[in-house]
Amino acid sequence: MVLKNEDGYELWLRYNLIEDEELLASYRQQVTHIKFNANTPIEAAAQAELERGLDGLLGPEQDWIEKPSLNGAVVCGTPTSSGFIDTLDLKELASVGDEGYVIKRHKMDVHTINVIAANTDKGLLYGVFAFLRLLQTHQSLDGLHIVSAPKVKLRMLNHWDNLDGTIERGFAGHSLWDWHKLPHFISPRYTDYARACASIGLNATVLTNVNANALILTEPYLHKVAALAEVFRPYGVQVFLTARFSAPMEIGGLSTADPLDADVAAWWKDKVDQIYNILPDFGGFVVKANSEGQPGPHDYGRIHADGANMLADALEPHGGICIWRAFVYDADVKEDRFKQANSQLVPQDGTFKKNALLQVKNGPIDFQPREPHHPLFGAMPKTPLMLEVQITQEYLGFATHLVYLAPLFKETLNADTYCDGAGSIVARVVDGSLDGHDMSGMAAVTNIGDDRNWCGHPFAAANWYAYGRLAWDYELSSEQIADEWLRMTFSNDEQFVKTAIKMMIDSREAVVKYMMPLGLHHIFEVGHHYGPGPWVDGIRPDWTAVYYHQADAESVGFDRTATGSDAVSLYNPPYRDQLANVDSCPENMLLWFHHVPWDYRMKSGRTLWDEMCLMYQEGVDDVRQMQQTWQSLEGKIDTARYKHVSDLLMVQEREARWWRDACITYFQSFHGKPIPDGVEPPEHDLDYYRSIVHYYVPGIPERRFGKIGSN
Ligand code: GCW
């Protein structure tokens, strides 16, 4: 059977007629019509989605609304919107809060009814998408009884989108937000964006880059923002904006942005009042301050909390929140960059207003292929800490490499901070349960652009999907999430799903091996970050590669034990002691914490040098395995998307060799040791790799390109 080519626009919300005749007949017998008393815009959106989904999946000939009997009905409602739901007296509703839902098959006399119940319209919206997901993934409805509620309150996307339409670290085209035509032209993509977000439980979006542009806070842009918010509102997606700390000077005419200056505080209060006049359900601000050249309170001898609290005070009367990024480090400070966020922020624990949260990256440096969990998690019990992860693959192969990130996200979520004994995992810091915080949140830097398939690589949308599913329930496994996404995006063919899941799971370790094995980190090309650059030096040390690997003729790696920067002391025992001891430090983190001789004996018995070379080779071989796996699936999905992935895997294999050869020749130049058997010899010499220059790499807006020394 020739499958119709698809362009990926529908993402995982493909409601194609179920091909399995038997299953289709069974579903049609179990699901015959809808009873949904939609009173609010969100309920209307939910009802429309349910009709759209059932029409697509079970066939358009059904008249989904008009049926007198309850048998086979999908009854959607809250106890107040539906008398029937009220009579069910569902005890589980007490545990699902404002956004959760209950889905069950309810037997009443000879009838069997499909119930989607919630306490609010948002819960119904999420319940409808969850119900449709069951059909999309061919789940049995027999004995159905799902009770689900989000573990984290704020489930947010961060768009590093600039007002000129470029996207910082974006590799899937230009920004979705057509600021020039807004507010009068509303692209249909905005609705599909909101549907996709709601389908995975995302409830907040930050439209603008954290390297912020104050213009977004001016009235013309606020009306443009309000037009987007109007589209997102029926899908429960709340709008936030990035606030440029120097805005009072740039658009307010003030001579200072000092947070302790009364005129500055008054300016922000007036500005926030103006925003809420235009956008009554505005979420609040996300702020990058005193980091990588962004303005902030330090410019006035103030501390982070002074800045965050000034904005929090302005937002508080409107119920808004201030999210202050903990991605702070200073070129003029000689301290190990790994430690600087803790040095700056831990002393301020407990001084932030109750409507201020800190947004903390998964690791202490910067979204590397593998990082230890950020030591701030567990170090600031009095402050709600949001987790920030990166979906866009700035350091993981752009939109060219197939890298499934759920295992990376879960590595951090499951990391034990030991701050309150064993089991004090990052996820429990983030969901607020460990320290009793009411506010909780996760944020992800999106990979979304205006490419037709939204994320560039046909598999990149899996990371948007995985982030949403984990922000709702971080206990979901990477495998289960991949299973859902593959079935909804491509096919329910069991062989395809099982095989592709393994390829996705393996892709996470593969990229670490062919880019930065054994704890190597931050060895990418300067500026655009595309490709290897272990030789990068000569600019501010913490933006070079040599600062992080510290290779010489004898040894390699960053000593972060007591004999070095002592960054390990930021962690709690037993993790701290495990890391500090070279023999117990996990080998995949070795060079994060130790400066070891090239002849150091690894657990395999091989020297570090031989192990590193073999790891690089293994990474290349892993990509070749992905190519073979994908070839075995030809014909299982449409030709267009099959070929798109095949072609990109060829690039990924070539670039994996590029990373391997550039790094091996570079590190070999220090000690001249032979490359071990089993590792393909580099195709060129070091000078060749160092001479490679790329122009107009995506993700670096023009204004930053070529300014060597930009990070
Ligand atoms: O990952 C780095 C990127 C910058 C980014 C910065 C941040 C938005 O190279 O492009 O700036 O982190 O997280 O603020």
Side-chain angles (χ1 to χ4, degrees), residues 161-182:
D161 290 31
N162 297 308
L163 299 184
D164 65 0
T166 58
I167 302 176
E168 186 151 352
R169 316 303 179 187
F171 311 112
H174 281 79
S175 176
L176 285 179
W177 323 132
D178 186 339
W179 295 114
H180 175 67
K181 294 193 189 78
L182 281 163

Side-chain angles (χ1 to χ4, degrees), residues 20 62 98 105 279 330 442 483 573 672:
D20 178 324
Q62 311 267 2
D98 288 348
R105 293 267 290 162
L279 195 49
D330 185 332
M442 277 194 217
D483 181 283

Side-chain angles (χ1 to χ4, degrees), residues 328-563:
V328 290
Y329 65 103
D330 185 332
D332 302 330
V333 169
K334 289 301 156 254
E335 184 184 47
D336 177 0
R337 177 175 161 184
F338 191 113
K339 303 171 73 176
Q340 292 191 30
N342 283 57
S343 300
Q344 291 189 33
L345 289 163
V346 170
Q348 300 174 41
D349 189 29
T351 66
F352 291 90
K353 297 288 173 108
K354 64 177 175 38
N355 64 320
L357 296 90
L358 287 187
Q359 182 171 300
V360 183
K361 289 192 177 182
N362 58 288
I365 298 295
D366 195 5
F367 297 135
Q368 292 303 285
R370 166 161 278 120
E371 295 214 19
H373 66 275
H374 201 299
L376 272 177
F377 291 114
M380 295 185 72
K382 301 189 192 89
T383 308
L385 302 184
M386 286 177 62
L387 170 64
E388 178 181 349
V389 293
Q390 194 175 47
I391 301 175
T392 188
Q393 293 166 224
E394 170 182 0
Y395 301 106
L396 286 156
F398 286 26
T400 315
H401 295 204
L402 194 165
V403 183
Y404 176 51
L405 297 176
L408 184 155
F409 301 154
K410 283 185 72 75
E411 217 168 85
T412 298
L413 288 162
N414 291 334
D416 202 334
T417 70
Y418 295 98
C419 64
D420 191 13
S424 312
I425 60 172
V426 168
R428 291 191 55 222
V429 174
V430 172
D431 73 11
S433 62
L434 197 73
D435 303 309
H437 292 299
D438 186 40
M439 265 315 283
S440 63
M442 277 194 217
V445 185
T446 80
N447 59 352
I448 299 164
D450 65 358
D451 273 7
R452 184 67 188 161
N453 72 4
W454 301 79
C455 303
H457 192 297
F459 273 78
N463 294 327
W464 175 8
Y465 183 86
Y467 164 70
R469 298 287 283 125
L470 287 171
W472 181 278
D473 180 0
Y474 52 71
E475 287 174 347
L476 290 171
S477 71
S478 300
E479 289 77 5
Q480 182 189 335
I481 293 169
D483 181 283
E484 290 175 1
W485 180 79
L486 286 162
R487 291 175 185 277
M488 297 161 83
T489 302
F490 287 114
S491 162
N492 277 279
D493 175 287
E494 292 304 330
Q495 176 59 27
F496 171 80
V497 173
K498 189 164 59 64
T499 308
I501 287 177
K502 182 172 182 335
M503 181 181 76
M504 289 170 73
I505 296 292
D506 292 349
S507 68
R508 185 263 185 283
E509 288 306 331
V511 71
V512 173
K513 283 189 262 185
Y514 65 71
M515 283 191 179
M516 302 180 212
L518 301 174
L520 285 171
H521 53 288
H522 207 283
I523 61 170
F524 42 78
E525 194 43 273
V526 68
H528 50 65
H529 301 168
Y530 168 55
W535 44 77
V536 171
D537 198 355
I539 52 175
R540 54 182 278 184
D542 57 359
W543 281 359
T544 67
V546 300
Y547 171 88
Y548 296 96
H549 61 65
Q550 308 208 351
D552 56 34
E554 311 305 322
S555 314
V556 64
F558 199 125
D559 180 358
R560 290 191 165 108
T561 68
T563 54

Side-chain angles (χ1 to χ4, degrees), residues 657 660-662 664-665 668 675 679-685 689:
R657 282 184 282 117
R660 175 199 63 194
D661 294 349
I664 284 181
T665 50
Q668 186 186 41
I675 293 171
V679 178
E680 293 160 3
E683 292 160 30
H684 303 281
D685 62 17
Y689 296 109

Side-chain angles (χ1 to χ4, degrees), residues 59-71:
E61 67 272 16
Q62 311 267 2
D63 173 355
W64 297 110
I65 299 302
E66 293 318 311
K67 293 248 180 355
S69 157
L70 272 173
N71 191 49

Side-chain angles (χ1 to χ4, degrees), residues 153-312:
K153 275 202 175 54
L154 208 50
R155 306 178 299 280
M156 174 181 269
L157 290 182
N158 287 183
H159 291 265
W160 284 354
D161 290 31
N162 297 308
L163 299 184
D164 65 0
T166 58
I167 302 176
E168 186 151 352
R169 316 303 179 187
F171 311 112
H174 281 79
S175 176
L176 285 179
W177 323 132
D178 186 339
W179 295 114
H180 175 67
K181 294 193 189 78
L182 281 163
H184 306 301
F185 172 73
I186 305 296
S187 163
R189 280 198 90 153
Y190 302 152
T191 301
D192 289 331
Y193 165 83
R195 287 178 54 238
C197 288
S199 74
I200 50 179
L202 294 177
N203 62 3
T205 184
V206 189
L207 300 177
T208 45
N209 193 352
V210 288
N211 289 329
N213 184 329
L215 262 181
I216 194 67
L217 302 179
T218 59
E219 182 161 1
Y221 276 93
L222 292 174
H223 288 295
K224 296 170 186 278
V225 171
L228 288 173
E230 193 172 331
V231 175
F232 301 162
R233 196 166 290 119
Y235 294 94
V237 178
Q238 190 179 29
V239 166
F240 288 68
L241 294 174
T242 49
R244 184 165 173 77
F245 201 78
S246 51
M249 301 164 75
E250 292 173 22
I251 60 172
L254 299 191
S255 59
T256 176
D258 179 350
L260 298 193
D261 179 298
D263 293 341
V264 172
W267 185 89
W268 280 110
K269 187 184 174 318
D270 293 346
K271 176 52 68 180
V272 168
D273 292 347
Q274 179 195 24
I275 293 173
Y276 277 92
N277 282 336
I278 298 168
L279 195 49
D281 58 355
F282 178 60
F285 292 140
V286 171
V287 181
K288 173 179 181 179
N290 292 121
S291 168
E292 299 185 338
Q294 295 299 306
H298 293 180
D299 305 342
Y300 309 95
R302 312 304 182 190
I303 62 173
H304 291 295
D306 295 331
N309 290 340
M310 169 189 67
L311 297 174

